[in-house]
Amino acid sequence: MHNKINVPRRSASTGMPRPQLNAIVEARYSFRTFLRAQAAGGGLRKGKRTEARIKWSTCELLEQMPLSTLKIQDVCNCAEIGQGTFYLYFPDRQALLNAVLLEYVEFIRANMTERSGVNKNYVDSVRWTTTVYYRLFEHNRGLMKCLISYYEDFPEISKIASEMNR
């Protein structure tokens, strides 16, 4: 009798096992992963790490619930901080959301700009940039929903997103 050995499937393009490849893609395109790394990073001062943890918690929660039900207490519980600590960094929920979305739009812009310059061929450049945008959308659904569905609620972000789309 033959015992079947489970071997991870490999990506045809890179030859890497798919779970490992998925982790790399997640790390590159997920804003939550970017913030989690900042929150865990030893190179940042404690205050910056706490701020990153608050933002990361917000992103995590927006993946699970609509913006309309997000409460400061939820963010504090997820970030494992007290509400008093939250208010040291952000005066209210709107200021937190503005900060998160503003930083996320910059994250989008940096990723798309980086990718657009990879290939000098115009058609390939457009294809790569569009692919990056799709992956950013896929890995940050909660944040993208905020940018698209609650456009009017964030005047600062609306200007930046409009500028970026121009």
Side-chain angles (χ1 to χ4, degrees):
M1 178 160 224
H2 237 27
N3 284 340
K4 187 174 180 179
I5 299 173
N6 244 348
V7 177
R9 300 193 78 167
R10 295 187 177 272
S11 164
S13 61
T14 65
M16 290 179 144
R18 286 197 180 154
Q20 185 178 1
L21 181 63
N22 289 343
I24 291 169
V25 170
E26 175 77 16
R28 177 165 179 82
Y29 298 109
S30 171
F31 188 59
R32 291 185 324 272
T33 303
F34 169 76
L35 290 172
R36 188 177 335 138
Q38 275 189 340
L44 292 178
R45 296 176 62 192
K46 184 177 187 260
K48 289 292 183 184
R49 289 193 317 265
T50 302
E51 183 178 339
R53 197 165 75 232
I54 294 168
K55 291 176 181 177
W56 167 79
S57 297
T58 304
C59 295
E60 280 294 317
L61 292 168
L62 287 171
E63 288 294 313
Q64 302 163 20
M65 64 176 58
L67 177 61
S68 59
T69 62
L70 181 70
K71 295 178 176 46
I72 290 174
Q73 185 61 48
D74 298 329
V75 173
C76 293
N77 289 342
C78 187
E80 299 178 344
I81 61 168
Q83 281 190 348
T85 301
F86 174 89
Y87 289 111
L88 290 173
Y89 294 91
F90 302 100
D92 55 24
R93 185 182 88 130
Q94 190 67 37
L96 168 63
L97 294 169
N98 282 341
V100 168
L101 292 173
L102 184 63
E103 195 172 334
Y104 176 59
V105 167
E106 288 303 319
F107 182 79
I108 292 172
R109 182 180 289 154
N111 271 283
M112 290 179 69
T113 301
E114 176 189 327
R115 218 41 186 153
S116 70
V118 168
N119 199 314
K120 299 299 178 206
N121 178 328
Y122 178 76
V123 173
D124 288 341
S125 177
V126 170
R127 182 178 296 121
W128 278 111
T129 305
T130 304
T131 301
V132 167
Y133 188 76
Y134 168 78
R135 288 189 176 147
L136 287 164
F137 199 110
E138 178 182 41
H139 290 283
N140 302 284
R141 289 180 183 105
L143 293 171
M144 290 303 281
K145 186 172 183 177
C146 287
L147 286 178
I148 294 169
S149 299
Y150 303 103
Y151 204 71
E152 315 80 41
D153 297 340
F154 303 101
E156 289 177 38
I157 307 308
S158 296
K159 287 182 208 169
I160 293 165
S162 295
E163 189 81 20
M164 181 181 72
N165 289 330
R166 198 175 311 143

